Amino acid sequence: MRILVTGGAGFVGSNLALTLEQEGHEVTALDDFSSGHFDNLCGFKGNVISADVVDAVLEEIVPDTEAVFHQAAITDTTVTDQYRMMRVNVEGFRNVLRFALKKKIRLVYASSAGTYGDGKNPMKEDQAPKPLNCYAFSKSVMDNIAREIIEKGSIPIVGLRYFNVFGPREKYKNKAASMIWQLSEQIKEGKRPRIFTAGEQKRDHFYVKVIVAANLRAMEAKKSGIVNVGTGIATTFNRLVEILNQTLKTQLPAEYFGNPYTGVYQDETRADTRLAQELIGFKAEYSVEDGIKEYLATQSSKLKSQNDNSKVKNKLLF
Ligand SMILES: NC(=O)c1ccc[n+]([C@@H]2O[C@H](COP(=O)([O-])OP(=O)(O)OC[C@H]3O[C@@H](n4cnc5c(N)ncnc54)[C@H](O)[C@@H]3O)[C@@H](O)[C@H]2O)c1
């Protein structure tokens, strides 16, 4: 199939684009490189288009597209420029949706667990949205727009409410990268991992392979809808520190500091996973422990090959 991945140079988008390509699809990655990075697409053989998803004329740029995975968004939840956030996330989505409707093709898009705010757990798709920031609000507006199309049955459309994803190719998100990335970087630098007091905040963290698998399922789903993607298990930040210390063979205790986002912070997120199973036949297969082990092993093998390469380069130079 000819597939468009918006936000294709980003964390999830690049993992998805590379997997779709491995599976034999012809993939185009579109990105404005605001939080994405070319390095994420090293080895990608498909087409890469640098464009703003808000006003890209997709009918002209990628006329033969047969399915779209829409990942492009401002993903830093602390961005306070509401016009920019709404323009990129909502109007960007509307542009992609317009294109999918015109071409009558399938659209799978990234929503977020942020839409639930501090709602009750486990978070269920039919509970009222309670966005605590403009990012989460933009995602709930996207879901409202999608719901109208789903009701009309115009095209197959699946919204995936991602919980907390971690894994390779997230580092260019910097401060918006996962807690697992932030804490592991601190530990690797020999610093104590810094978490909000008293570390009992919980998140439904899952490995990036899980989200790629969920997107692939959504591509084949018989029904349209908006579903959670999570494991159904929430892990505390204290437990993350424990797992990271075990995996990295370190013993650095957490350093606690006050949460500056009190009042607009999700203390716990945990997905109700039943609808995803029912609608797109998806269940997460990785535990957070296994995901972290695989993630850190990938990082150390990448580091080893970088070191080996630089040794070869040094030999050539001297
Ligand atoms: N990673 C998570 O834990 C998580 C959780 C919930 C939802 N999501 C959603 O998943 C999607 C992918 O997020 P991610 O984690 O890969 O973040 P990311 O920031 O790495 O990816 C977003 C990509 O969109 C691109 N982009 C931003 N504005 C654009 C524009 N105007 N035109 C074209 N491209 C633009 C960025 O350059 C980036 O490559 C996003 O929609 C995000 O809201 C992610």
Side-chain angles (χ1 to χ4, degrees):
M1 267 179 115
R2 283 182 291 271
I3 295 176
L4 171 66
V5 180
T6 73
F11 165 40
V12 175
S14 59
N15 280 287
L16 183 58
L18 288 160
T19 306
L20 286 165
E21 186 169 74
Q22 274 161 20
E23 300 219 330
H25 298 286
E26 199 181 302
V27 185
T28 297
L30 180 146
D31 208 293
D32 75 345
F33 294 88
S34 51
S35 60
H37 199 283
F38 78 87
D39 190 31
N40 285 340
L41 284 173
C42 280
F44 177 65
K45 298 178 198 71
N47 197 10
V48 179
I49 294 172
S50 175
D52 185 339
V53 75
V54 178
D55 50 23
V57 186
L58 299 171
E59 296 88 322
E60 287 175 16
I61 313 177
V62 276
D64 299 328
T65 302
E66 294 167 290
V68 185
F69 289 91
H70 177 56
Q71 308 297 317
I74 293 181
T75 55
D76 180 348
T77 58
T78 63
V79 167
T80 52
D81 182 339
Q82 300 178 49
Y83 175 71
R84 205 177 125 231
M85 181 72 84
M86 295 301 284
R87 187 175 135 75
V88 172
N89 292 9
V90 179
E91 301 316 320
F93 177 60
R94 231 190 288 271
N95 189 34
V96 171
L97 180 59
R98 219 180 281 128
F99 171 63
L101 285 168
K102 203 164 176 181
K103 301 288 298 178
K104 298 203 179 333
I105 54 175
R106 177 176 293 263
L107 172 60
V108 180
Y109 74 93
S111 179
S112 169
T115 55
Y116 296 114
D118 57 358
K120 70 177 171 51
N121 281 284
M123 293 165 156
K124 208 166 173 298
E125 290 83 347
D126 60 4
Q127 76 194 51
K130 284 173 83 180
L132 295 170
N133 52 43
C134 190
Y135 166 79
F137 177 72
S138 73
K139 291 285 171 181
S140 68
V141 174
M142 286 168 64
D143 287 348
N144 292 342
I145 297 168
R147 222 173 274 115
E148 264 184 48
I149 307 296
I150 293 167
E151 276 161 23
K152 287 187 194 146
S154 326
I155 49 165
I157 172 164
V158 178
L160 300 175
R161 284 192 181 152
Y162 301 177
F163 278 63
N164 289 77
V165 197
F166 65 92
R169 303 187 180 83
E170 67 170 308
K171 75 172 178 185
Y172 297 106
K173 291 180 71 176
N174 298 312
K175 71 179 168 65
S178 73
M179 275 303 286
I180 291 165
W181 184 79
Q182 312 285 351
L183 298 175
S184 65
E185 286 300 297
Q186 291 161 10
I187 292 177
K188 283 191 268 175
E189 284 170 21
K191 295 182 188 150
R192 287 174 62 182
R194 281 170 56 78
I195 52 181
F196 297 148
T197 312
E200 286 305 299
Q201 303 85 348
K202 289 180 179 168
R203 288 278 178 281
D204 191 333
H205 302 276
F206 61 87
Y207 197 46
V208 67
K209 282 189 178 174
V210 171
I211 206 68
V212 170
N215 273 279
L216 297 185
R217 284 283 180 171
M219 190 166 80
E220 285 159 9
K222 301 259 183 307
K223 288 188 194 160
S224 294
I226 300 169
V227 301
N228 289 337
V229 181
T231 62
I233 298 165
T235 310
T236 64
F237 292 171
N238 282 329
R239 174 70 188 136
L240 288 184
V241 170
E242 247 174 59
I243 304 171
L244 287 166
N245 269 317
Q246 273 162 13
T247 316
L248 292 166
K249 301 192 176 15
T250 48
Q251 286 182 334
L252 288 160
E255 182 182 320
Y256 298 107
F257 67 105
N259 181 353
Y261 304 110
T262 307
V264 288
Y265 190 75
Q266 292 176 289
D267 282 322
E268 178 174 354
T269 63
R270 179 162 49 95
D272 186 312
T273 59
R274 287 171 294 180
L275 191 63
Q277 241 172 297
E278 192 187 309
L279 204 86
I280 64 167
F282 177 74
K283 194 167 170 22
E285 277 168 8
Y286 269 77
S287 67
V288 69
E289 287 84 356
D290 289 344
I292 289 177
K293 272 187 202 131
E294 187 171 324
Y295 185 19
L296 296 180
T298 328
Q299 287 176 338
S300 47
S301 62
K302 195 172 175 198
L303 194 66
K304 186 178 175 309
S305 85
Q306 276 167 355
N307 287 342
D308 290 350
N309 282 344
S310 68
K311 272 182 206 154
V312 173
K313 272 189 202 146
N314 286 343
K315 271 188 194 158
L316 291 174
L317 284 171
F318 303 108

